[in-house]
Amino acid sequence: MSSPVRPRHTPPLGIALALGLGFGLAATASAQTNGNADTTTPVARGAYLVHGMGCADCHTPLKMGAKGPEPDLSRGLSGHPQGLLLQPPALPAGSPWAWGGAGTNTAFFGPWGVSYAANLTPDATGLAGWTAEQFTQAMRTGKHAGSGRPLMPPMPGRPSAS
């Protein structure tokens, strides 16, 4: 007699993947310098993915530093700043520009309208309610939580099948 099949528990993303995303900003620096990508733990795997997929490029707001714009690591992966209200972008008729973005690099406009970088932290306003499977499917399908509305440009550049 075979034992009953247990349902596979998919932990909330706040525990599994978001830990890796949250700690990923710090951990990617060592992976960049020594070239070794340790992906044996969820945190290490998250750091590897954050670095390899460039998540912080748009999901970490920029701030003005001594040498120009730089990532605001105190708000790492937090997405578009909640209190930053933007005026609707306007391009002159006949402009060759097709799209653009806010100075924080967390809001973008184009023929699709305006899109804002989401909060990827394990906070309730971020990915706390997502499972690792939902996040994986979102990356693979280009849809919110893997089955909802389409993710807007520039995310994802191209859904990943792997």
Side-chain angles (χ1 to χ4, degrees), residues 1-6:
M1 183 169 146
S2 63
S3 52
V5 177
R6 290 186 191 168

Side-chain angles (χ1 to χ4, degrees), residues 18-29:
L19 276 175
L21 291 171
F23 293 119
L25 290 173
T28 56

Side-chain angles (χ1 to χ4, degrees), residues 13 17 21 49-50 52-60 77 79-80 99-101 105-110 112-120 127 130 134-146 148-162:
L13 193 58
L17 188 57
L21 291 171
L49 292 172
V50 165
M53 296 175 71
C55 303
D57 295 351
C58 299
H59 292 273
T60 296
L77 300 173
H80 184 73
W99 66 277
N105 204 41
T106 58
F108 308 91
F109 70 90
W112 65 88
V114 177
S115 54
Y116 299 91
N119 180 347
L120 298 183
L127 297 176
W130 287 46
Q134 286 173 315
F135 185 83
T136 300
Q137 287 305 309
M139 296 298 97
R140 289 183 176 164
T141 65
K143 295 184 181 226
H144 186 265
R149 63 173 169 73
L151 299 177
M152 300 305 290
M155 175 69 199
R158 187 178 67 184
S160 173
S162 54

Side-chain angles (χ1 to χ4, degrees), residues 6-12 15:
R6 290 186 191 168
R8 190 177 97 170
H9 173 68
T10 305
I15 296 169

Side-chain angles (χ1 to χ4, degrees), residues 17 20 27-28 31 35-52:
L17 188 57
T28 56
N36 296 327
D38 171 21
T39 60
T40 57
T41 67
V43 171
R45 177 73 175 154
Y48 172 77
L49 292 172
V50 165
H51 172 67

